[in-house]
Amino acid sequence: MKFITALFLTAFLAFAVGTYGILPWWSFVVTSFLVSVAIHQRAVKAFLAGFLGLFILWVSLATMKDVANEHILSSKVAQILPLGGSFVVLILLTGVLGGLVSGLAALTGSFFRQSK
């Protein structure tokens, strides 16, 4: 139950912080760290909750934005990058990168709590 709570809380707080336009794009790192400190879990579960929370959030947000402009921009960016022009791979890569950053922040929070 703590895993599901941490996952949803990570996604919700990252969305809330991201909606506030004055903060930098990486401000979700702070929320992932704080969720991991507040909800004590093993390091692996903390990493997975942080990773999956932001992965699901960023993939869904990127997909909504991409569908709205009929995959025009993402297809062109995917052609510039070595992705073979696949907008799906670009969206998944976006989710993986955000998930890794959030997961590492959550892992750091878990280790920080254990050190106390």
Side-chain angles (χ1 to χ4, degrees):
M1 187 66 179
K2 288 196 289 187
F3 178 78
I4 301 288
T5 304
L7 189 142
F8 283 120
L9 197 58
T10 299
F12 175 73
L13 289 176
F15 181 76
V17 167
T19 308
Y20 190 65
I22 230 169
L23 298 174
W25 69 269
W26 50 265
S27 54
F28 67 87
V29 170
V30 176
T31 61
S32 297
F33 177 83
L34 292 176
V35 167
S36 182
V37 169
I39 301 174
H40 182 60
Q41 299 182 78
R42 290 186 187 153
V44 173
K45 285 189 175 185
F47 176 82
L48 283 176
F51 179 87
L52 288 176
L54 212 73
F55 176 83
I56 293 168
L57 177 69
W58 275 20
V59 165
S60 61
L61 289 175
T63 302
M64 286 190 302
K65 295 287 185 183
D66 194 42
V67 168
N69 72 6
E70 299 173 352
H71 315 292
I72 295 170
L73 181 61
S74 61
S75 296
K76 290 183 180 185
V77 171
Q79 288 173 355
I80 294 170
L81 297 174
L83 301 176
S86 174
F87 61 87
V88 175
V89 175
L90 181 65
I91 290 172
L92 290 175
L93 183 64
T94 300
V96 167
L97 289 175
L100 281 175
V101 173
S102 178
L104 291 173
L107 184 65
T108 304
S110 175
F111 288 151
F112 179 76
R113 182 175 175 123
Q114 288 176 4
S115 71
K116 285 183 149 186

